[in-house]
Amino acid sequence: MNQLPTTAPSQIDSLAPDSGLIRADSVNIPNPTDYSLSEFFIYIWDLLQVQLFSIQNTPVTFLKLIVFILLLIGFSFLASFTKRMLNRKILPRFVKDGGLRYTLSRMSQYVVVVIGVFISFQFLGINMTGLAVIFGFLSVGIGFGLQNITSNFISGLIVLFERPISVGDRVMVNNIEGDIQEINIRSTKVKTLDNISIIVPNSEFVSKDVINFSHGDPTYRLGIDVGVSYSSDLDNVLKALNEVAEESEDVLKTPNHEVQLRSFGDSSWDMKLLAWIPDVKKRYQVQNALNQAIVRKFAEYDIEIPFPQRDLHVRSGLNFDKDDVKHGSEDSDTSAEK
């Protein structure tokens, strides 16, 4: 059996000629005809030992390249597993804030990935400090060609550390209301009230105004507008609206609710019920329940909810003498006689 040399004289294709960081040599693939059937595994082993190129005078073979890829994949799975275990099993015992748990677990995932990348490159024989020259050249292209990706990456780190938004928050971004589902390094997933997932770049949460309904405190002051007829008893109206808020289990007792007469409309007094609810995410359900309770309570107190009315005055037409009215046919005959 002929043994092929691991290195052979070849031409050099260098990314950095003076530093000798990466050198591509000619690849000498073993000839399968030089091996018998029983030497199949020997052939595979010799094939894996074939040198593809050199990095910093370190030969890179098929075997090293395969192990390098497997290490990257393995550390990626390990990072995801670490994130799930911390977020679901370990951190809930010590941290009550769900947003903080997500941030800690996500950062742990990134740490494992970075460690895996360093270990994988070290196994391949690449000194990360030695690649600083190449990364320096590439950074120029990244700065000009990947500005949006770089901006979203930095914004993702700001969002994770500063935490203007957290997983589970109800937000309004670009006039779209939804709940934060995931905060990734480049984008954030928002699930709307219609169960539609929207991928929002992280820069949107840093450079633009974002409404966070549940940031730090999920309570919310709900305002309900209702008009009542001018013929209604104002005291009964105030009493009815107060009873609606007091009888509702969804309205907080502290802070206390308020009933206000906001303005005098064209057809009604414009009243407003202001009530505090414990969870902003349920405000539409609570608003629906309070609206129905107001209709029933007003019916109980015989309070009218008017609709806009307009008076239409019709004047009678002007009277003309019949002789003064000329029809088109008569005008035609007259003109013909003339």
Side-chain angles (χ1 to χ4, degrees):
M1 179 183 63
N2 297 329
Q3 296 292 333
L4 295 177
T6 57
T7 59
S10 60
Q11 296 180 348
I12 295 177
D13 181 13
S14 175
L15 290 178
D18 296 334
S19 61
L21 290 177
I22 300 178
R23 188 181 64 193
D25 300 325
S26 61
V27 179
N28 296 320
I29 305 296
N31 189 355
T33 58
D34 295 337
Y35 298 82
S36 63
L37 186 60
S38 60
E39 296 175 334
F40 173 75
F41 293 103
I42 299 177
Y43 170 74
I44 296 298
W45 177 254
D46 291 342
L47 182 62
L48 294 176
Q49 298 301 317
V50 172
Q51 179 179 340
L52 301 176
F53 51 87
S54 298
I55 299 179
Q56 295 177 328
N57 298 323
T58 301
V60 177
T61 62
F62 274 120
L63 181 60
K64 284 189 175 182
L65 194 59
I66 292 174
V67 175
F68 170 76
I69 296 174
L70 292 178
L71 283 174
L72 290 179
I73 296 174
F75 274 102
S76 298
F77 281 108
L78 179 60
S80 300
F81 176 76
T82 302
K83 173 194 168 186
R84 289 196 302 268
M85 288 297 296
L86 289 174
N87 197 25
R88 299 178 183 179
K89 302 291 184 180
I90 300 176
L91 290 179
R93 302 177 183 178
F94 309 100
V95 182
K96 300 300 181 182
D97 188 353
L100 181 58
R101 291 199 303 267
Y102 182 87
T103 299
L104 293 175
S105 60
R106 176 65 77 177
M107 295 308 300
S108 300
Q109 180 185 13
Y110 294 152
V111 169
V112 173
V113 170
V114 171
I115 293 175
V117 169
F118 272 96
I119 293 177
S120 301
F121 275 100
Q122 289 293 334
F123 173 82
L124 197 60
I126 300 176
N127 187 358
M128 299 299 292
T129 58
L131 294 179
V133 177
I134 296 178
F135 291 149
F137 287 115
L138 293 178
S139 63
V140 178
I142 292 175
F144 288 100
L146 303 176
Q147 291 183 1
N148 291 334
I149 295 179
T150 305
S151 173
N152 291 324
F153 175 79
I154 301 300
S155 299
L157 296 179
I158 295 175
V159 168
L160 285 174
F161 283 103
E162 187 178 333
R163 297 180 61 209
I165 58 172
S166 300
V167 173
D169 285 354
R170 175 66 59 85
V171 299
M172 176 81 74
V173 55
N174 293 331
N175 295 324
I176 299 174
E177 182 177 350
D179 297 328
I180 300 294
Q181 295 291 310
E182 292 182 8
I183 302 176
N184 299 311
I185 200 66
R186 189 197 65 85
S187 61
T188 296
K189 184 169 76 172
V190 179
K191 182 167 287 187
T192 68
L193 304 184
D194 298 324
N195 199 32
I196 299 175
S197 295
I198 299 178
I199 309 302
V200 182
N202 288 329
S203 58
E204 296 286 331
F205 296 99
V206 176
S207 61
K208 296 184 179 180
D209 294 334
V210 178
I211 300 175
N212 190 340
F213 292 101
S214 52
H215 182 63
D217 187 1
T219 59
Y220 178 78
R221 192 177 75 163
L222 179 64
I224 297 180
D225 297 302
V226 59
V228 296
S229 173
Y230 278 103
S231 60
S232 302
D233 187 330
L234 180 59
D235 292 331
N236 282 341
V237 173
L238 297 175
K239 180 180 179 181
L241 291 176
N242 278 309
E243 288 182 358
V244 167
E246 293 169 357
E247 295 172 1
S248 174
E249 297 179 354
D250 299 315
V251 175
L252 295 174
K253 305 305 179 184
T254 305
N256 196 17
H257 65 276
E258 297 181 42
V259 178
Q260 301 176 354
L261 197 163
R262 285 297 182 92
S263 62
F264 298 94
D266 294 336
S267 306
S268 65
W269 292 330
D270 296 331
M271 311 296 296
K272 193 177 190 71
L273 172 61
L274 299 171
W276 289 89
I277 60 176
D279 189 358
V280 64
K281 296 181 180 180
K282 297 181 179 179
R283 72 180 188 276
Y284 294 118
Q285 295 91 323
V286 176
Q287 182 176 3
N288 173 58
L290 291 178
N291 284 337
Q292 295 182 20
I294 289 174
V295 172
R296 296 188 180 97
K297 188 66 68 173
F298 278 11
E300 178 182 342
Y301 283 91
D302 196 21
I303 299 173
E304 179 185 357
I305 301 178
F307 53 87
Q309 299 179 6
R310 297 290 184 270
D311 293 333
L312 181 62
H313 299 277
V314 180
R315 292 185 178 182
S316 58
L318 297 177
N319 294 324
F320 295 97
D321 293 336
K322 292 183 179 180
D323 296 338
D324 295 337
V325 178
K326 296 182 179 181
H327 299 284
S329 59
E330 297 176 353
D331 294 340
S332 301
D333 295 340
T334 304
S335 59
E337 293 175 358
K338 291 181 181 180

